[in-house]
Amino acid sequence: MHATICDMITDLVQNAIEARATEITLEVKETKTNLKFVIADNGKGMSAVVLEKAKDPYYTDGQKHRYRKVGLGLPFLFQTAEMTGGKAAITSKEGEGTTVTFNVDPTNVDLPAFGNFTTAAVALMSYEFEGNLSIERSAQNKSYSVNKNELVEALGNLNELESLTLLKQFIASQEEDLEAL
Amino acid sequence: MAKMTLEELRALRDAKKNEMTQRDTNEKSAQIIIGMGTCGIAAGAKEAFDAFLDELDSHSVTNTKITQTGCMGLCFSEPTVEVAVPGMPRVIYGNVDDAVARRIVKEHLIGKSLVSDHIFDKPAVDIIK
Ligand SMILES: Nc1ncnc2c1ncn2[C@@H]1O[C@H](COP(=O)(O)OP(=O)(O)O)[C@@H](O)[C@H]1O
Ligand SMILES: [Mg+2]
């Protein structure tokens, strides 16, 4: 299982990237009683049959990693839901896209730590793919949103160290504002 | 730190660009490629990513790119990181945690010597040519 919620989110957004999505939205909302994340993509989607198989750790599409015969991203999600009384759901349509939703009580003792969202966001924003990623983030009643297109417009190539350093400062300042009372 | 706006972000980037162009023109950049598949993430690839950023920035290293790739097929030695410094052999490091990432910056990127005890693979063929 993944050590943090942010690791799980990173992994699931990468599934969307690997499904050749050009538009991905990541929503992460925390309240005192509920933690929710939703990853929606317009990638290749899955048929009902593939979707059912994908929940099984012994399924992977056979192309992504030639040497590893298991896919763990989705099984990790369902396992975490099961352990914590949370709810994981996937809806998908072949050729249209996929939406993964997770809801859980944030006070559940079996829930992995939330992790560092800034690092996750910086890594995801700078993961090279032909498309846009939008993040909508809120905690209690504060929120911010940011997307890759506007970041590239402001910073240029996001893989350059100088851009990454500034990107990290930018996201960190948004995250700090969420936590400030 | 106050919540930064996109305009402020752009201004900071422009200021940095001006200060850079005098120095780094036509020098090839170093590249760090981090394996960020499921196994890499589970093994701490994001912590390594963060450590690279932090260490490079604190030594004011410039002209470096950090990119990510999905599974490198080397799950057993994740997190794996490929490092290409111009004029040096391209190497893959295994089990790169926070401390190893910082060593790679100091020894390999700055000191120009390989971190031998963490080299996973050195595809030498194309380098010898
Ligand atoms: N967002 C998505 N869009 C389309 N297919 C997906 C998506 N997420 C997962 N899949 C399918 O489910 C399979 C299993 O996913 P996962 O458990 O993360 O393992 P892996 O990504 O290593 O194959 C993938 O190989 C892919 O075929
Ligand atoms: Mg996956």
Side-chain angles (χ1 to χ4, degrees), chain A residues 7 14 123 153 159-160, chain B residues 4 10 13 36 46 66 68:
Chain A
D7 283 356
Q14 274 181 28
E153 201 264 314
N159 293 104
E160 284 171 15
Chain B
M4 203 190 281
R10 191 174 298 121
R13 178 64 182 154
M36 281 274 185
K46 284 207 274 98
I66 305 181
Q68 299 160 66

Side-chain angles (χ1 to χ4, degrees), chain B residues 90-115:
Chain B
R90 186 180 263 269
V91 289
I92 296 177
Y93 291 110
N95 303 308
V96 181
D97 59 11
D98 182 290
V100 176
R102 290 177 196 276
R103 276 185 61 199
I104 293 172
V105 171
K106 283 191 284 236
E107 297 172 27
H108 189 154
L109 283 108
I110 299 173
K112 311 284 184 228
S113 75
L114 306 180
V115 184

Side-chain angles (χ1 to χ4, degrees), chain B residues 113-127:
Chain B
S113 75
L114 306 180
V115 184
S116 320
D117 52 324
H118 278 272
I119 293 183
F120 175 79
D121 187 19
K122 183 166 47 174
V125 232
D126 55 330
I127 297 147

